[in-house]
């Protein structure tokens, strides 16, 4: 596994690489199934469930404050990439336009193509989470989730839905695609929350 595609972290970086992870060379792509082809004109994201239903277009998100983010990215299949540079919209800025109900305790992320992944509301509303449309100064390619994905840096990257198109707020916890297939409901890399027990 080490060698061509992975390397051991340098000492200076090792405290940033969670247990059981290796640094990837380049930026690997990890997708289950086909890549959905969505133009910015047709892209939209719907909010429903324990929130006032609302739909945002590409233009709506471009009109929100735009921020730069540097974040480490940890895939549960043991590769990490440090200092990924993104541009997009903070989840907290986006959520200032959403009216949550008091019993919105969980959220299901939905994507074009049918992918889903679940979060507790506190994991979703963190300051460092964002919707990304740009990575390393270039528009997000389709394989990396373009035109728009979510990024949740503090959890394994399967929680960072590519081609995101929906947020379903829930009172009861529900499980997304990988979580139904044996992965951990939360997925915190420093605690190695890889699989459900
Ligand atoms: N819609 C969708 N989002 C997804 C996935 C996917 O298969 N479909 N894979 C997840 C996994 S397991 C990882 S590691 C990251 C990979 O992002 P990347 O392909 O940009 O590296 O996207 C996550 N988001
Ligand atoms: Mo992953």
């Amino acid at each position: 596994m080490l060698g061509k595609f992975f390397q051991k972290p340098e000492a200076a970086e090792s405290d940033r690489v969670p247990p059981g992870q290796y640094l990837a060379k380049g930026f690997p792509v990890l997708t289950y199934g086909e890549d959905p082809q969505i133009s910015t004109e047709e892209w939209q994201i719907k909010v429903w469930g324990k929130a006032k239903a609302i739909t945002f277009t590409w233009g709506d998100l471009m009109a929100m404050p735009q921020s730069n983010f540097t974040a480490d990215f940890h895939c549960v299949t043991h590769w990490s990439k440090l200092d990924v540079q993104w541009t997009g919209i903070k989840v907290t800025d986006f959520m200032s336009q959403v009216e949550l109900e008091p019993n919105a305790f969980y959220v299901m992320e939905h994507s074009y193509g049918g992918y889903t992944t679940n979060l507790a509301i506190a994991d979703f509303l963190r300051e460092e989470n964002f919707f990304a449309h740009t990575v390393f100064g270039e528009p997000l390619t389709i394989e990396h989730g373009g035109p728009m994905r979510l990024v949740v840096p503090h959890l394994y990257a399967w929680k960072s839905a590519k081609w995101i198109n929906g947020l379903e707020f829930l009172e009861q916890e529900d499980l997304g695609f990988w979580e139904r297939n044996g992965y951990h409901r939360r997925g915190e890399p420093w605690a190695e929350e890889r699989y459900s027990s």
Side-chain angles (χ1 to χ4, degrees), residues 29-31 73-79 115 156-159 178 183:
V29 170
L30 211 142
T31 302
F73 197 83
H74 308 295
C75 174
V76 72
T77 66
H78 299 277
W79 59 268
Y115 185 85
Y156 282 122
W158 88 78
K159 300 291 187 177
W178 285 119
Y183 284 84

Side-chain angles (χ1 to χ4, degrees), residues 4 8 14 29 64 81 86 93 101 103 113 142 149 160 173:
K4 193 164 175 210
K8 282 222 162 95
S14 62
V29 170
M64 294 179 190
K81 182 167 180 61
W86 308 91
D93 286 335
E101 294 177 15
N103 55 350
I142 290 172
R149 76 180 302 166
S160 295
E173 186 173 34

Side-chain angles (χ1 to χ4, degrees), residues 26-40:
F27 191 3
V29 170
L30 211 142
T31 302
Y32 182 87
E34 302 288 303
D35 290 357
Q37 315 271 326
I38 310 297
S39 66
T40 55

